[in-house]
Amino acid sequence: AQSVAQPEDQVNVAEGNPLTVKCTYSVSGNPYLFWYVQYPNRGLQFLLKYITGDNLVKGSYGFEAEFNKSQTSFHLKKPSALVSDSALYFCAVRDTWGNAGNMLTFGGGTRLMVKP
Amino acid sequence: DAMVIQNPRYQVTQFGKPVTLSCSQTLNHNVMYWYQQKSSQAPKLLFHYYDKDFNNEADTPDNFQSRRPNTSFCFLDIRSPGLGDAAMYLCATSTLDTADTQYFGPGTRLTVL
């Protein structure tokens, strides 16, 4: 079975500082990993994904994430946070082994608060 | 722009009064999904369709039904909404490629009075 953990319910960072939102996963095969962002009363917006290849993935709005197979992690990062980055962030995984098909398993979400 | 559209964005219904939420897509994706999301929690998958092949999650209550009359449209019917069904309902689509991204609509926030 596939699973995702986001160990922090909330991350606070000052505007202009680097931010990291943590994600660890568990799968039987190789993972496909995704990050989504959700603003209040909105759907999930795709940020980036790791399928294969380069461990550092660049996505929308200056976000990037690093796939680390040995630590089973896929942390989301941004070099300089903006107040407008304040939102709810979800990590998700899809296992390439077994009958997971197209199904995503989401982490519990991390609320990012960027203060001016 | 190709997109996933949900109507209405906000729906208020009364306890026990049937309600239908709709989703349409211009992405021409084979797979459509319905999720329920409560109070900023992780989205919970209710159903998904591979084309017209309906797949119900094991723990989705019988109170929830779905229809997909064609590739573009998908409906979520809640036959007798309870107070516990108040939530954000999210529609998503993807291709059959398991490496593909799921694209989400803006959601419908359901209030049950």
Side-chain angles (χ1 to χ4, degrees):
Chain A
Q2 56 196 33
S3 66
V4 180
Q6 293 181 241
E8 301 154 317
D9 290 337
Q10 183 161 317
V11 170
N12 297 309
V13 64
E15 188 175 31
N17 283 0
L19 69 87
T20 298
V21 183
K22 295 179 180 177
C23 172
T24 59
Y25 66 90
S26 175
V27 295
S28 299
N30 292 316
Y32 293 155
L33 291 154
F34 302 79
W35 275 102
Y36 288 87
V37 60
Q38 187 176 33
Y39 296 98
N41 288 312
R42 302 293 297 179
L44 274 64
Q45 200 172 317
F46 170 71
L47 281 178
L48 51 80
K49 67 181 179 182
Y50 172 82
I51 302 299
T52 187
D54 194 346
N55 290 342
L56 184 63
V57 179
K58 293 188 183 296
S60 306
Y61 313 121
F63 284 93
E64 58 189 30
E66 186 165 12
F67 172 64
N68 187 317
K69 188 171 184 177
S70 63
Q71 297 186 2
T72 62
S73 67
F74 189 56
H75 301 331
L76 182 69
K77 299 182 180 185
K78 187 173 182 181
S80 179
L82 299 172
V83 172
S84 56
D85 293 330
S86 299
L88 187 57
Y89 290 80
F90 289 99
C91 181
V93 69
R94 181 183 297 136
D95 198 342
T96 58
W97 184 86
N99 295 324
N102 294 70
M103 298 307 105
L104 287 178
T105 296
F106 287 90
T110 298
R111 186 165 299 282
L112 174 66
M113 300 288 291
V114 181
K115 297 183 179 178
Chain B
D1 286 343
M3 56 198 311
V4 182
I5 302 162
Q6 290 188 246
N7 286 305
R9 293 292 318 283
Y10 299 89
Q11 176 73 58
V12 180
T13 191
Q14 293 181 333
F15 183 94
K17 185 175 181 180
V19 66
T20 295
L21 310 181
S22 73
C23 176
S24 64
Q25 54 130 341
T26 61
L27 297 163
N28 202 29
H29 283 168
N30 301 92
V31 192
M32 293 187 78
Y33 312 79
W34 278 106
Y35 290 89
Q36 180 192 64
Q37 186 185 28
K38 293 185 177 182
S39 304
S40 300
Q41 297 175 17
K44 178 181 180 295
L45 184 64
L46 297 173
F47 327 92
H48 67 279
Y49 283 89
Y50 288 117
D51 291 321
K52 289 211 168 185
D53 181 21
F54 175 72
N55 297 270
N56 195 22
E57 295 304 297
D59 57 354
T60 298
D62 292 339
N63 198 27
F64 291 83
Q65 303 288 323
S66 185
R67 296 169 282 139
R68 188 178 184 186
N70 55 53
T71 301
S72 301
F73 285 88
C74 195
F75 299 97
L76 173 63
D77 301 308
I78 308 177
R79 292 192 295 188
S80 181
L83 298 178
D85 296 327
M88 174 74 91
Y89 290 87
L90 299 168
C91 175
T93 74
S94 74
T95 68
L96 290 170
D97 183 348
T98 55
D100 192 21
T101 303
Q102 282 188 24
Y103 293 96
F104 285 79
T108 294
R109 181 162 296 283
L110 178 67
T111 301
V112 181
L113 302 177

